[in-house]
Structure formats: structure tokens, C-alpha cells
Amino acid sequence: MTDWLELTLEVMRDRSHASWKFLDDEELLTALAARRAVAAYLPGAALATRDLVLLRLPVSPEGRVALLDEAGAPVPGPPVEEFVEELLAELRTCAAVGPEELVGPPWLPVPEIVEAARRPEEDSRVVYAYRGDDTVLAAAFARDLGMPLTAHRVDGWVVVATGFGPERVLAGPPRRFTGGYPFAVLDRRGERRVFLWAASAKESDLRVAADHQPRLVPAPPDGADAAAVDLAAWLADPADPAEAPERPEGMTDEQHRVLLGWRDAHRVGTDFLREVSATFGLPPVAAELVESRPGDPQPEGGTALRPAATGTQFVAEAMAGLDDEEPTGRTPWAALERLLWRHPGAAVGLGVLELLVAALLAVSVLAGDGHWWRWVLAAVFALGGLAHLVEAVLRIRRRGGARPG
């Protein structure tokens, strides 16, 4: 008995080229049935990418596609490269195998077609979340992505949502020595959902990548025997529940239990991001934002962030965003930030004091009465003093000189 492997292709069906024939699901299935190929497929509309179809084929360890023999049993057929090229030539289309390998007729601009077909439609959204109170990092996201974002500050988290149909996604968590962690990404494209988590900037700390997408549709050819029907059903959901991964270090039992429970593709994915993000401590607004559709009412209290055109504009807009809400953290540092937020005059005094200490340290070093580490302390105090002074001045100006009690 052959131990089959699965191969997934993205088969494109774009309308934009004169030499292009629009591909519908029935035409694809007819071509597969004519070759007596066992398969499973998923229309791209389920993934907010209408111009592609997911096609999954069983392949032998030697790289041969499964076809039915005269008795209806699956047996190794032609090499996968030969099978795929002939299928695409007949359908006058192209396909992608994985993120980089593209296949298609030479007369088509295959890379451009694949890029356009993969671009998500309106029924998609990405939400980023990190621990903290300020929106400086969120403003950096808007600048890096080149798109407007909306930031919500809730329960010690900053939750940042893209608009619908985002064309770009952050490649990974922020590269910062402090702040911005834990960092989470909630990504929904149609009925496919992805959850990413980074506990800290250290690669050795907990990293989580989990997803849930709708089950593919089995497509066994006519005359398929029980083994071929089972093979098509396996293609629709190749995960093996018996191979459940062990709990990674740093993950709680509850988090592990919830993630294992979502390995079943038969479950409706509507609650996937709600349950997973909740068990990792994210506020409910994160899942509410990513699960909303175009036209749905949006949660109140969000701050609009525009992509800054220049570095100066980025700093100014990020600093201005600091005054939207009172910091809510529970750490001693957060308590100090809350005090300075309420009393910007005290922040001015602290900033001046820090600058004075930095000046005294610098003078002591220049007078030959200090070591190199005093330069380091002087730089730390100078940067901290400037930050507190600029924030306080901006707050006082925005509040018209008033000091909130």
C-alpha cells in the first residue's frame, strides 16, 4: 500500500489577459476526472481570494500523482511535474506551488497574475496587539505598512487594526529591546484565520503559530473504490489528530488545550480567534475587530493613525497620540507614567532635573573626574529628560495649559 503525501497548488483564474480563459470550478473538476485523478479543492472565495482555487493532490514518495486504475484503486501515475504542466496547459492557466515556485504557460505573465490573484479582497483584516500604553509603535506600523491603521488602548494593551483588504502584512514582531511584547497577530482572510504570538524579543521564548481554515471538498473520480474515496477525504483534511504536539515550554495547559481543540478542520472557525486570543490574555476588542466585516459597526474609542510621510511627521504624530487616554498599566513604571500624564507640570520638572543630572555627569567627565560609564549615564539621563520634556510640552499645549486633576 502506498503511503501518500499531499501536494497543494494555488490554481489561478484571473480575467485580466487577452490570452486568458476564465477558469470555473466545474471545468477544473472535469479536467481532473478525465485524468482519473484523486483530488480535493477549495474555491478561493472562502479565502477572500476569488481568483484562485486551492487544489490538493496525493503524491507518492517517488513524486507520482495518484490516478485510478481499472478497478478504481489509487495507484502512482505520472510524475507530478508532468501532470501539473499538462493540466495547466489544457486549462490555459497557471499555478503556484508554495510561496515561490510558479508554473504556467510561457505566454502568460505568471508572476504578475499570481501576485494579483493572491491579493486579499474586502473580506479580510489583520489586527496587531502588544502590551503597552503608547501608540508610538503603532504609528511605526502605519509608516512601515504605508496604510492607515486604527489603534485601541484597552486593559494595558494596544490593539491595532488595518482596514479591510490589506495588501501588506508585517513580516514579524517589532525589533525592539524593550516594549512591544508580548506581541500578537490576528489575521482573517475570508474563512481562514491565523494566530501568531511572540512572548518576547528572545527567539528562545514562547512562539506560537496556529491557523484554522475551512475544510477542502473531496473530489474522487467516478468509479473510485473505498480506498480512493478515503484518500480524497484525507486530502480534504490531512491533519492527523494522533500526532498532537507536546506542550511547548512557556505555554500554559489551558492554552495548549484550546489550540489542540482547534486542530479539527470540521469545526466552524468563527470562534477560533476569539477563544485563542482570550486564553493568551488579549482584550476582546482584538477578535471583535478582526472578525468584523465591511459595513459592520466598529468598536468606539479608536485612534486613527496615518502613515507618516517624513520622520519628523512620524515623531510629532506619535507623540501627539500619547495624550488620548490615561495610561493603565500596573507596574511601578506605569504608575509613574500615569502621574506624569495627569500632571504635565511635574513631567516638565522631571525632564529638567534629568537634563541637569546629565549635564553634571558630562562636566565631571570633561574635568577628568570620572570614568567612561558616566558618559553612558549622561546619555541615558539626557534622552530620558528630553523625552519627558517634549511629551509634557505637547500635552500642555494640547490641553490649553490646563492640568487635569
Side-chain angles (χ1 to χ4, degrees), residues 197-246:
W197 172 271
S200 75
K202 296 180 180 179
E203 292 290 340
S204 57
D205 285 346
L206 181 63
R207 292 285 198 273
V208 176
D211 68 356
H212 188 273
Q213 74 176 33
R215 188 170 183 265
L216 276 66
V217 180
D222 292 339
D225 67 4
V229 171
D230 289 344
L231 181 58
W234 173 79
L235 285 174
D237 179 20
D240 184 357
E243 298 178 356
E246 296 182 0

Side-chain angles (χ1 to χ4, degrees), residues 339-351 389 392 396 399 402-404:
L339 174 65
L340 299 179
W341 183 90
R342 293 175 177 175
H343 305 283
V348 171
L350 177 61
L389 195 59
I396 292 173
R399 300 175 189 180
R403 295 185 181 184

Side-chain angles (χ1 to χ4, degrees), residues 142-155:
R143 181 191 59 185
D144 294 343
L145 292 170
M147 67 177 68
L149 304 174
T150 304
H152 294 257
R153 295 197 289 192
V154 184
D155 299 333

Side-chain angles (χ1 to χ4, degrees), residues 35 46 111 127 171-172 192 234 252 263 272 313 317 350 358 368 394:
R35 288 166 169 76
V127 168
R192 183 175 187 268
W234 173 79
T252 68
R263 296 179 75 241
F272 170 74
Q313 181 186 351
E317 292 186 357
L350 177 61
L394 285 173

Side-chain angles (χ1 to χ4, degrees), residues 349-366:
L350 177 61
V352 171
L353 179 61
E354 289 174 313
L355 291 174
L356 179 60
V357 172
L360 291 175
L361 288 168
V363 169
S364 69
V365 175
L366 292 174

